[in-house]
Amino acid sequence: MISTIKGDITGLDFDMIVNAANAHFARGGGVCGAIFAKAGPELDAFCAKLPKGKAGDVRISPAFGLPSKAILHAVGPIYEGTKENAQALAGCYWNCVAMAYQYKREHDLERLSLAFPCISTGIYGYPHEAACDIAVRTIRKIRSAFPDTKSIDIIFVCYEQIDYELYKKALKEL
């Protein structure tokens, strides 16, 4: 299942949620700041020990005070309009699904729910429509290349109405 909802990712009870992280995996603004605030100081302490990343990199942490079981921290690109930006953003989605699949297998889960925010569309400036297109296309490619990933329910959680409308339209066309 691939779907979208409008809401706040921090209050949702999914197996895994994705944080739109910075390269230091530290508390930031937007969805990142909200996740850290609700997860509590344990998340700050855990993430302070993670090695620095680059755009497209993903790290995993416990969810601490959040209702989910784990957080995937995906470093989105700062938008400059380059092909590398698009590849890094696609890498965020690809690497998150790969890590979620590994988690699902390690924990012997039949299904797993994975919630994505709109990575890089906030202060990193990625245009909403282009980011939505990359996200949906990447998930579709993963599902086509690796049919076993269909046991992961993908939910795009949109905080802003503009993103919700874009994802609804893109998913309807699938």
Side-chain angles (χ1 to χ4, degrees), residues 49-71:
K49 298 173 186 166
L50 295 174
K52 185 179 176 188
K54 63 183 182 326
D57 286 350
V58 177
R59 307 278 191 270
I60 189 169
S61 75
F64 298 105
L66 294 170
S68 57
K69 293 175 185 64
I71 303 168

Side-chain angles (χ1 to χ4, degrees), residues 141-174:
K141 280 182 189 175
I142 294 167
R143 297 260 173 143
S144 177
F146 303 98
D148 285 355
T149 61
K150 291 180 181 174
S151 62
I152 299 172
D153 296 322
I154 305 288
I155 304 95
F156 294 105
V157 180
C158 303
Y159 189 75
E160 294 187 37
Q161 186 67 28
I162 184 175
D163 292 314
Y164 179 63
E165 296 298 329
L166 287 168
Y167 279 87
K168 254 185 9 182
K169 181 180 178 206
L171 293 176
K172 188 183 274 187
E173 294 170 1
L174 276 181

Side-chain angles (χ1 to χ4, degrees), residues 2-173:
I2 303 172
S3 62
T4 186
I5 61 172
K6 186 173 182 322
D8 176 359
I9 200 168
T10 64
L12 302 173
D13 188 11
F14 292 116
D15 294 310
M16 303 180 103
I17 65 169
V18 175
N19 174 28
N22 55 58
H24 296 283
F25 301 100
R27 184 185 295 249
V31 70
C32 180
I35 287 171
F36 272 80
K38 286 199 179 175
E42 297 89 355
L43 183 58
D44 290 291
F46 184 94
C47 288
K49 298 173 186 166
L50 295 174
K52 185 179 176 188
K54 63 183 182 326
D57 286 350
V58 177
R59 307 278 191 270
I60 189 169
S61 75
F64 298 105
L66 294 170
S68 57
K69 293 175 185 64
I71 303 168
L72 295 176
H73 304 270
V75 181
I78 297 171
Y79 185 71
E80 297 170 332
T82 66
K83 183 174 85 172
E84 291 78 18
N85 285 161
Q87 290 169 337
L89 186 57
C92 288
Y93 291 96
W94 190 281
N95 294 334
C96 282
V97 172
M99 199 169 278
Y101 185 74
Q102 181 181 349
Y103 180 93
K104 181 183 146 318
R105 291 190 65 199
E106 286 172 1
H107 291 85
D108 198 29
L109 303 172
E110 190 172 315
R111 294 199 73 74
L112 182 136
S113 56
L114 174 61
F116 283 100
C118 300
I119 299 171
S120 284
T121 60
I123 60 171
Y124 281 10
Y126 219 105
H128 296 264
E129 202 165 317
C132 173
D133 180 60
I134 289 168
V136 172
R137 245 185 320 112
T138 302
I139 296 301
R140 193 172 63 227
K141 280 182 189 175
I142 294 167
R143 297 260 173 143
S144 177
F146 303 98
D148 285 355
T149 61
K150 291 180 181 174
S151 62
I152 299 172
D153 296 322
I154 305 288
I155 304 95
F156 294 105
V157 180
C158 303
Y159 189 75
E160 294 187 37
Q161 186 67 28
I162 184 175
D163 292 314
Y164 179 63
E165 296 298 329
L166 287 168
Y167 279 87
K168 254 185 9 182
K169 181 180 178 206
L171 293 176
K172 188 183 274 187
E173 294 170 1

